[in-house]
Tab-separated table of all heavy atoms in Angstrom:
chain	number	residue	atom	x	y	z
A	1	GLU	N	-45.866	-76.064	-247.414
A	1	GLU	CA	-46.918	-76.433	-248.294
A	1	GLU	C	-46.424	-77.066	-249.645
A	1	GLU	O	-47.254	-77.554	-250.407
A	1	GLU	CB	-47.815	-75.241	-248.596
A	1	GLU	CG	-48.625	-74.745	-247.381
A	1	GLU	CD	-49.632	-75.809	-246.945
A	1	GLU	OE1	-50.269	-76.441	-247.808
A	1	GLU	OE2	-49.791	-75.927	-245.714
A	2	HIS	N	-45.150	-76.959	-249.900
A	2	HIS	CA	-44.598	-77.483	-251.187
A	2	HIS	C	-44.612	-79.030	-251.265
A	2	HIS	O	-44.384	-79.573	-252.357
A	2	HIS	CB	-43.216	-76.925	-251.455
A	2	HIS	CG	-42.190	-77.475	-250.487
A	2	HIS	ND1	-42.035	-76.920	-249.226
A	2	HIS	CD2	-41.374	-78.503	-250.578
A	2	HIS	CE1	-41.049	-77.614	-248.617
A	2	HIS	NE2	-40.660	-78.597	-249.361
A	3	VAL	N	-44.842	-79.703	-250.157
A	3	VAL	CA	-44.876	-81.159	-250.164
A	3	VAL	C	-46.129	-81.632	-250.870
A	3	VAL	O	-47.227	-81.301	-250.459
A	3	VAL	CB	-44.753	-81.743	-248.708
A	3	VAL	CG1	-44.853	-83.234	-248.755
A	3	VAL	CG2	-43.479	-81.279	-248.009
A	4	ASP	N	-46.013	-82.376	-251.947
A	4	ASP	CA	-47.144	-82.750	-252.777
A	4	ASP	C	-47.933	-83.880	-252.146
A	4	ASP	O	-49.166	-83.850	-252.171
A	4	ASP	CB	-46.638	-83.215	-254.188
A	4	ASP	CG	-46.008	-82.090	-254.924
A	4	ASP	OD1	-46.388	-80.941	-254.704
A	4	ASP	OD2	-45.126	-82.359	-255.720
A	5	SER	N	-47.252	-84.906	-251.633
A	5	SER	CA	-47.988	-86.074	-251.225
A	5	SER	C	-47.110	-86.853	-250.174
A	5	SER	O	-45.902	-86.580	-250.051
A	5	SER	CB	-48.322	-87.004	-252.367
A	5	SER	OG	-47.115	-87.469	-252.961
A	6	VAL	N	-47.764	-87.820	-249.525
A	6	VAL	CA	-47.045	-88.616	-248.519
A	6	VAL	C	-46.004	-89.483	-249.238
A	6	VAL	O	-44.863	-89.545	-248.760
A	6	VAL	CB	-47.993	-89.509	-247.727
A	6	VAL	CG1	-47.255	-90.523	-246.861
A	6	VAL	CG2	-48.912	-88.626	-246.858
A	7	PRO	N	-46.309	-90.157	-250.418
A	7	PRO	CA	-45.297	-90.951	-251.021
A	7	PRO	C	-44.075	-90.085	-251.543
A	7	PRO	O	-42.921	-90.567	-251.424
A	7	PRO	CB	-45.971	-91.570	-252.269
A	7	PRO	CG	-47.400	-91.618	-251.866
A	7	PRO	CD	-47.632	-90.378	-250.991
A	8	SER	N	-44.305	-88.849	-252.018
A	8	SER	CA	-43.188	-88.045	-252.462
A	8	SER	C	-42.312	-87.647	-251.280
A	8	SER	O	-41.127	-87.591	-251.368
A	8	SER	CB	-43.636	-86.840	-253.222
A	8	SER	OG	-44.373	-85.936	-252.374
A	9	PHE	N	-42.964	-87.365	-250.148
A	9	PHE	CA	-42.185	-87.027	-248.939
A	9	PHE	C	-41.368	-88.252	-248.467
A	9	PHE	O	-40.217	-88.122	-248.126
A	9	PHE	CB	-43.139	-86.587	-247.836
A	9	PHE	CG	-42.459	-86.373	-246.477
A	9	PHE	CD1	-41.745	-85.213	-246.231
A	9	PHE	CD2	-42.508	-87.325	-245.466
A	9	PHE	CE1	-41.132	-85.012	-245.040
A	9	PHE	CE2	-41.866	-87.147	-244.262
A	9	PHE	CZ	-41.147	-85.945	-244.045
A	10	ASN	N	-41.987	-89.415	-248.465
A	10	ASN	CA	-41.322	-90.631	-248.095
A	10	ASN	C	-40.083	-90.896	-248.931
A	10	ASN	O	-39.038	-91.237	-248.418
A	10	ASN	CB	-42.281	-91.821	-248.104
A	10	ASN	CG	-41.695	-93.100	-247.659
A	10	ASN	OD1	-41.606	-93.371	-246.445
A	10	ASN	ND2	-41.222	-93.914	-248.583
A	11	ASP	N	-40.308	-90.781	-250.264
A	11	ASP	CA	-39.227	-91.135	-251.193
A	11	ASP	C	-38.111	-90.101	-251.254
A	11	ASP	O	-37.016	-90.370	-251.774
A	11	ASP	CB	-39.789	-91.381	-252.602
A	11	ASP	CG	-40.733	-92.560	-252.690
A	11	ASP	OD1	-40.680	-93.370	-251.669
A	11	ASP	OD2	-41.452	-92.704	-253.645
A	12	ALA	N	-38.342	-88.925	-250.664
A	12	ALA	CA	-37.357	-87.848	-250.683
A	12	ALA	C	-36.307	-88.067	-249.602
A	12	ALA	O	-35.284	-87.350	-249.552
A	12	ALA	CB	-38.032	-86.480	-250.428
A	13	HIS	N	-36.462	-89.084	-248.757
A	13	HIS	CA	-35.539	-89.305	-247.661
A	13	HIS	C	-34.701	-90.555	-247.876
A	13	HIS	O	-35.223	-91.524	-248.401
A	13	HIS	CB	-36.283	-89.354	-246.321
A	13	HIS	CG	-36.832	-88.037	-245.904
A	13	HIS	ND1	-38.019	-87.587	-246.406
A	13	HIS	CD2	-36.346	-87.072	-245.147
A	13	HIS	CE1	-38.306	-86.373	-245.886
A	13	HIS	NE2	-37.242	-86.075	-245.140
A	14	GLY	N	-33.462	-90.551	-247.472
A	14	GLY	CA	-32.580	-91.628	-247.574
A	14	GLY	C	-32.647	-92.634	-246.462
A	14	GLY	O	-32.177	-93.798	-246.559
A	15	SER	N	-33.229	-92.242	-245.346
A	15	SER	CA	-33.409	-93.105	-244.216
A	15	SER	C	-34.849	-92.867	-243.651
A	15	SER	O	-35.432	-91.878	-243.992
A	15	SER	CB	-32.389	-92.851	-243.124
A	15	SER	OG	-32.688	-91.740	-242.353
A	16	GLY	N	-35.260	-93.777	-242.799
A	16	GLY	CA	-36.634	-93.730	-242.283
A	16	GLY	C	-36.757	-92.881	-241.070
A	16	GLY	O	-37.868	-92.757	-240.560
A	17	ARG	N	-35.682	-92.280	-240.566
A	17	ARG	CA	-35.714	-91.557	-239.303
A	17	ARG	C	-36.742	-90.422	-239.362
A	17	ARG	O	-37.615	-90.293	-238.505
A	17	ARG	CB	-34.339	-91.044	-238.987
A	17	ARG	CG	-34.222	-90.477	-237.591
A	17	ARG	CD	-32.880	-89.925	-237.309
A	17	ARG	NE	-32.734	-88.634	-238.139
A	17	ARG	CZ	-31.624	-88.330	-238.749
A	17	ARG	NH1	-30.558	-89.087	-238.660
A	17	ARG	NH2	-31.573	-87.214	-239.434
A	18	VAL	N	-36.647	-89.527	-240.377
A	18	VAL	CA	-37.544	-88.401	-240.425
A	18	VAL	C	-38.994	-88.828	-240.798
A	18	VAL	O	-39.939	-88.409	-240.143
A	18	VAL	CB	-37.040	-87.350	-241.480
A	18	VAL	CG1	-38.041	-86.226	-241.701
A	18	VAL	CG2	-35.704	-86.783	-240.967
A	19	PRO	N	-39.208	-89.711	-241.766
A	19	PRO	CA	-40.578	-90.111	-242.078
A	19	PRO	C	-41.245	-90.793	-240.859
A	19	PRO	O	-42.414	-90.540	-240.595
A	19	PRO	CB	-40.407	-91.126	-243.271
A	19	PRO	CG	-39.132	-90.663	-243.927
A	19	PRO	CD	-38.270	-90.161	-242.826
A	20	MET	N	-40.505	-91.613	-240.107
A	20	MET	CA	-41.131	-92.315	-238.949
A	20	MET	C	-41.446	-91.278	-237.855
A	20	MET	O	-42.434	-91.407	-237.180
A	20	MET	CB	-40.218	-93.415	-238.467
A	20	MET	CG	-40.274	-94.609	-239.362
A	20	MET	SD	-39.555	-96.084	-238.678
A	20	MET	CE	-37.864	-95.674	-238.661
A	21	ARG	N	-40.560	-90.271	-237.704
A	21	ARG	CA	-40.845	-89.272	-236.689
A	21	ARG	C	-42.090	-88.447	-237.078
A	21	ARG	O	-42.923	-88.128	-236.224
A	21	ARG	CB	-39.650	-88.338	-236.563
A	21	ARG	CG	-39.797	-87.271	-235.472
A	21	ARG	CD	-38.625	-86.447	-235.277
A	21	ARG	NE	-37.998	-86.177	-236.555
A	21	ARG	CZ	-36.734	-85.817	-236.742
A	21	ARG	NH1	-35.979	-85.677	-235.730
A	21	ARG	NH2	-36.274	-85.608	-237.896
A	22	MET	N	-42.297	-88.209	-238.358
A	22	MET	CA	-43.473	-87.476	-238.797
A	22	MET	C	-44.742	-88.403	-238.611
A	22	MET	O	-45.805	-87.850	-238.275
A	22	MET	CB	-43.358	-87.063	-240.249
A	22	MET	CG	-42.378	-85.999	-240.504
A	22	MET	SD	-42.510	-84.564	-239.391
A	22	MET	CE	-44.170	-84.062	-239.666
A	23	LEU	N	-44.569	-89.674	-238.747
A	23	LEU	CA	-45.741	-90.549	-238.506
A	23	LEU	C	-46.127	-90.527	-237.025
A	23	LEU	O	-47.294	-90.447	-236.714
A	23	LEU	CB	-45.399	-91.996	-238.958
A	23	LEU	CG	-46.482	-92.982	-239.115
A	23	LEU	CD1	-47.512	-92.535	-240.136
A	23	LEU	CD2	-45.876	-94.312	-239.541
A	24	ASP	N	-45.148	-90.484	-236.145
A	24	ASP	CA	-45.421	-90.384	-234.744
A	24	ASP	C	-46.044	-89.064	-234.379
A	24	ASP	O	-47.034	-89.025	-233.578
A	24	ASP	CB	-44.135	-90.601	-233.948
A	24	ASP	CG	-44.351	-90.713	-232.456
A	24	ASP	OD1	-45.276	-91.426	-232.053
A	24	ASP	OD2	-43.574	-90.120	-231.759
A	25	GLN	N	-45.576	-87.975	-234.970
A	25	GLN	CA	-46.167	-86.691	-234.698
A	25	GLN	C	-47.606	-86.569	-235.253
A	25	GLN	O	-48.442	-85.934	-234.646
A	25	GLN	CB	-45.278	-85.565	-235.304
A	25	GLN	CG	-43.930	-85.417	-234.556
A	25	GLN	CD	-43.079	-84.352	-235.212
A	25	GLN	OE1	-43.453	-83.656	-236.137
A	25	GLN	NE2	-41.854	-84.271	-234.696
A	26	ALA	N	-47.827	-87.234	-236.378
A	26	ALA	CA	-49.194	-87.232	-236.962
A	26	ALA	C	-50.135	-87.950	-236.032
A	26	ALA	O	-51.301	-87.540	-235.919
A	26	ALA	CB	-49.168	-87.846	-238.359
A	27	ALA	N	-49.674	-89.011	-235.419
A	27	ALA	CA	-50.531	-89.735	-234.449
A	27	ALA	C	-50.949	-88.809	-233.311
A	27	ALA	O	-52.070	-88.795	-232.857
A	27	ALA	CB	-49.842	-90.988	-233.953
A	28	GLY	N	-49.952	-88.049	-232.762
A	28	GLY	CA	-50.275	-87.108	-231.733
A	28	GLY	C	-51.222	-86.023	-232.156
A	28	GLY	O	-52.101	-85.584	-231.433
A	29	LEU	N	-51.032	-85.524	-233.428
A	29	LEU	CA	-51.913	-84.549	-233.996
A	29	LEU	C	-53.345	-85.088	-234.148
A	29	LEU	O	-54.347	-84.382	-233.814
A	29	LEU	CB	-51.367	-84.043	-235.334
A	29	LEU	CG	-52.224	-83.034	-236.127
A	29	LEU	CD1	-52.331	-81.749	-235.326
A	29	LEU	CD2	-51.621	-82.797	-237.465
A	30	ALA	N	-53.491	-86.290	-234.607
A	30	ALA	CA	-54.795	-86.896	-234.800
A	30	ALA	C	-55.481	-87.051	-233.444
A	30	ALA	O	-56.686	-86.808	-233.340
A	30	ALA	CB	-54.706	-88.226	-235.509
A	31	ASP	N	-54.717	-87.479	-232.431
A	31	ASP	CA	-55.296	-87.577	-231.115
A	31	ASP	C	-55.793	-86.224	-230.561
A	31	ASP	O	-56.848	-86.108	-229.984
A	31	ASP	CB	-54.327	-88.235	-230.142
A	31	ASP	CG	-54.891	-88.482	-228.813
A	31	ASP	OD1	-55.979	-89.130	-228.714
A	31	ASP	OD2	-54.334	-88.057	-227.796
A	32	ALA	N	-54.947	-85.219	-230.751
A	32	ALA	CA	-55.264	-83.891	-230.284
A	32	ALA	C	-56.548	-83.358	-230.969
A	32	ALA	O	-57.327	-82.563	-230.390
A	32	ALA	CB	-54.145	-82.919	-230.482
A	33	CYS	N	-56.745	-83.777	-232.213
A	33	CYS	CA	-57.906	-83.316	-232.994
A	33	CYS	C	-59.142	-84.213	-232.742
A	33	CYS	O	-60.205	-83.978	-233.249
A	33	CYS	CB	-57.607	-83.248	-234.504
A	33	CYS	SG	-56.403	-82.007	-234.946
A	34	GLY	N	-58.918	-85.307	-232.054
A	34	GLY	CA	-60.030	-86.252	-231.741
A	34	GLY	C	-60.427	-87.049	-232.910
A	34	GLY	O	-61.500	-87.583	-232.984
A	35	LEU	N	-59.449	-87.333	-233.791
A	35	LEU	CA	-59.722	-88.198	-234.944
A	35	LEU	C	-59.305	-89.643	-234.692
A	35	LEU	O	-58.303	-89.976	-234.167
A	35	LEU	CB	-58.927	-87.689	-236.187
A	35	LEU	CG	-59.306	-86.295	-236.624
A	35	LEU	CD1	-58.416	-85.848	-237.738
A	35	LEU	CD2	-60.747	-86.252	-237.100
């Protein structure tokens, strides 16, 4: 819960590997929730 926002999470990483993986997981979560 300490993550403040999407931009702060994005900027905390030196490469896009983890942020892009989270984007893919969020897509799966949205689909599971029917959003």
Side-chain angles (χ1 to χ4, degrees):
E1 292 295 320
H2 68 276
V3 178
D4 295 330
S5 65
V6 172
S8 67
F9 174 79
N10 183 81
D11 294 346
H13 290 85
S15 76
R17 190 182 71 220
V18 173
M20 285 192 291
R21 183 175 38 201
M22 291 311 303
L23 195 58
D24 187 45
Q25 290 176 8
L29 178 64
D31 184 54
C33 293
L35 299 174

